[in-house]
Amino acid sequence: MKLLIFRTLLIYLCVLFAMRLMGKRQLGELQPEELVSTILISNLASISIESEEVPVTASLIPLFLIAALELLGSALSFRSQKFFNLMSGPKTVILDGQIDQNALRTLRLTTADLMEALRGKNIFDPRDVSYAVVETNGSLSAALRPEKETATLADLQLKVEHSHATIPFVLDGQVLEE
């Protein structure tokens, strides 16, 4: 039993460490802890389903231990800002138009990766950015400097008389006569 718990803890921590080394951009929408838990839990479930000679408790104990570790990690992240930043906190990569090379190195991102993400947000010059953050899911959030923001009708102090909603002429393959 102690060996089973030790092996589960060891594998969980090793896989989590390996996922952290890979960096955020390979992980898509999942947090590294969630991905590790998903992989391990699915593997444990498949072992207990496929192998009749393995007792169900041999998979249930590690499964519940992984779930408990996930909950413990969430609780620690909630209570400790340092733990949250260490495990999955968002990282500021641009501040006042200056790219933070140390943050990029920590995230295993190149300047080319950052520029690609900025271009995806129609920002072509990092000097136009007030701040940019790589979120916990790996996506980039960026705020332009106020003088680079697109002017709105409210900025120009213009009022809209009527806003016409567009009505589709074809809906579900049927032409709307009215």
Side-chain angles (χ1 to χ4, degrees), residues 37-63:
S37 297
T38 302
I39 292 169
L40 290 176
I41 288 172
S42 66
N43 199 11
L44 287 168
S46 68
I47 289 170
S48 67
I49 290 171
E50 292 173 359
S51 303
E52 291 181 14
E53 64 274 2
V54 176
V56 175
T57 56
S59 291
L60 290 179
I61 293 169
L63 187 137

Side-chain angles (χ1 to χ4, degrees), residues 112-177:
D113 294 330
L114 177 62
M115 293 303 297
E116 178 183 351
L118 286 172
R119 287 190 302 274
K121 300 208 170 285
N122 288 326
I123 301 171
F124 298 93
D125 189 346
R127 293 173 292 192
D128 294 344
V129 177
S130 177
Y131 67 92
V133 175
V134 175
E135 302 293 350
T136 57
N137 65 4
S139 67
L140 182 76
S141 298
L144 288 172
R145 293 176 180 259
E147 65 270 13
K148 298 293 183 174
E149 289 280 346
T150 305
T152 64
L153 292 175
D155 293 334
L156 301 173
Q157 298 177 349
L158 297 175
K159 293 186 180 186
V160 177
E161 297 281 327
H162 285 295
S163 177
H164 298 287
T166 58
I167 300 172
F169 293 110
V170 178
L171 186 64
D172 292 332
Q174 302 294 320
V175 177
L176 300 175
E177 297 297 332

Side-chain angles (χ1 to χ4, degrees), residues 20 24 83-91 107 134-136:
R20 279 318 224 170
K24 292 183 184 227
F83 185 79
F84 174 75
N85 290 340
L86 174 71
M87 292 306 287
S88 61
K91 304 278 189 251
L107 295 170
V134 175
E135 302 293 350
T136 57

Side-chain angles (χ1 to χ4, degrees), residues 56-83:
V56 175
T57 56
S59 291
L60 290 179
I61 293 169
L63 187 137
F64 287 120
L65 183 58
I66 290 168
L69 289 170
E70 186 67 33
L71 291 171
L72 178 65
S74 295
L76 286 173
S77 292
F78 183 72
R79 298 211 184 271
S80 168
Q81 186 64 39
K82 285 183 181 181
F83 185 79

